[in-house]
Amino acid sequence: MQVNLLEAKNRLSSLVAAVERGEEVLLARNGVPVAKIVPYERARVKPPGAWKGLVARSADWNSAETQAQVENLFLGDGDAPAA
């Protein structure tokens, strides 16, 4: 269904009801489609632990050497390579 903007302002409730029934509603300006009213979809949030086993990480990610490197990145040690 295509509706011009002036008509859409007067019929917004019925247009939303049409979308809820599964109809496609196009909004037009001077007969030229410019927008579409679509059903709202909630964001899909993955539950905690959904990424378990999907992301590779180094076996030494929590070693003393790695922690020292990270600390040097934040605090600086004067030996950082020039960019």
Side-chain angles (χ1 to χ4, degrees):
M1 158 186 346
Q2 182 171 310
V3 181
N4 278 317
L5 290 175
L6 181 60
E7 183 183 354
K9 289 192 319 188
N10 296 326
R11 295 183 43 204
L12 182 60
S13 294
S14 65
L15 295 175
V16 170
V19 170
E20 290 175 327
R21 289 190 306 269
E23 293 183 46
E24 181 178 275
V25 176
L26 295 174
L27 302 178
R29 179 177 287 124
N30 298 323
V32 178
V34 294
K36 185 190 301 187
I37 301 176
V38 297
Y40 175 76
E41 291 185 22
R42 292 191 181 272
R44 295 185 184 119
V45 178
K46 293 189 179 238
W51 284 64
K52 187 174 184 176
L54 298 178
V55 179
R57 62 176 170 82
S58 176
D60 68 343
W61 71 273
N62 200 20
S63 69
E65 181 182 345
T66 303
Q67 293 298 322
Q69 290 174 349
V70 171
E71 185 176 330
N72 286 337
L73 286 172
F74 281 98
L75 302 177
D77 64 349
D79 296 329

